[in-house]
């Protein structure tokens, strides 16, 4: 297995096709599982941390990262976001999710100088993130949507200390679409 980091702007057609294939394996078309996030507008991440089967082979695990200047209790904070975390269903529980998440957190802390990490997740994935040191944020999370500023309520919110402490309460404003 090979860990790779791809900037969105540098994605080749092959990368794009492999990412789409992974997405379709994780979220099969026609799957009737309820997706409460389907009605929201989401931000695109800026880089992808991926695991490939061979050096230029199929992508089997992915985590997207981005940074954004946001507000916590009206004070500016640089948040490192993680989204689009997924492992191919046939190769789960082999440590690949942990591998992409660990590298993603290193990039956010060391390269992108984020104060803390933030992600949103369904209850079904909460235990995975908790094992990796992410904590529950129990305050309010505000996001922008085309219709205006909105309180985010559909998923759990998790935070991770990076360059600084991660707040677990108060009000965070993402000042943009969620990820
Ligand atoms: C969640 C997901 C990314 C985990 O990927 P994975 O490659 O199987 O994870 P790993 O094998 O690295 O697991 C790391 C640890 O978390 C545990 N774990 C994995 N999935 C878990 C879950 N859903 N709940 C609780 N613990 C979980 C593993 O047992 C392992 O524990 P260990 O360190 O004690 O051995 C994968 O199940 C997935 O793609 N799910 C569908 C998409 C999804 O829900 N993504 C998250 C959206 S926010």
């Amino acid at each position: 297995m090979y860990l790779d980091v791809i900037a969105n702007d540098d994605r080749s057609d092959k990368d794009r096709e492999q990412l789409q294939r992974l997405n379709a394996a994780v979220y099969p078309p026609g799957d009737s599982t309820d997706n409460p996030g389907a009605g929201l507008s989401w931000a695109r991440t800026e880089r992808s941390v991926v695991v490939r089967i061979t050096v230029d082979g199929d992508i089997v695990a992915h985590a997207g990262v981005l940074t954004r200047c946001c507000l916590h209790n009206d004070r500016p904070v640089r948040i490192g976001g993680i989204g689009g975390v997924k492992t191919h269903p046939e190769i789960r529980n082999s440590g690949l999710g942990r591998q992409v998440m660990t590298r993603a957190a290193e990039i956010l802390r060391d390269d992108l100088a984020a104060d803390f990490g933030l992600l949103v997740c369904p209850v079904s994935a909460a235990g995975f993130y908790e094992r990796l040191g992410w904590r529950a944020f129990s305050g309010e999370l505000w996001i922008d949507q085309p219709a205006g500023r909105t309180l985010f309520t559909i998923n759990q919110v998790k935070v991770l200390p990076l360059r600084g402490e991660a707040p677990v309460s108060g009000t965070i404003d993402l000042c943009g679409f969620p990820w």
Side-chain angles (χ1 to χ4, degrees), residues 22-81:
L22 172 62
N23 203 53
V26 174
Y27 302 106
D31 184 355
S32 58
T33 312
D34 186 35
N35 178 6
L40 290 181
S41 296
W42 295 85
R44 293 190 56 195
T45 52
E46 293 156 8
R47 297 186 201 182
S48 287
V49 180
V50 300
V51 173
R52 298 179 191 276
I53 291 182
T54 58
V55 166
D56 57 356
D58 282 353
I59 293 173
V60 289
H62 171 270
V65 300
L66 82 166
T67 48
R68 174 142 0 119
C69 294
C70 308
L71 297 170
H72 174 243
N73 292 342
D74 293 326
R75 292 213 193 115
V77 281
R78 186 169 170 83
I79 296 185

Side-chain angles (χ1 to χ4, degrees), residues 26-27 60-62 82-89 91-101 119-129 131-132 155:
V26 174
Y27 302 106
V60 289
H62 171 270
I82 296 191
V85 179
K86 58 192 88 138
T87 299
H88 195 288
I91 204 167
R92 285 190 188 150
N93 293 310
S94 317
L96 301 187
R98 176 190 291 276
Q99 225 179 310
V100 291
M101 285 298 296
L119 58 81
V120 301
C121 67
V123 175
S124 59
F128 166 67
Y129 294 115
R131 274 178 142 81
L132 304 183
N155 269 341

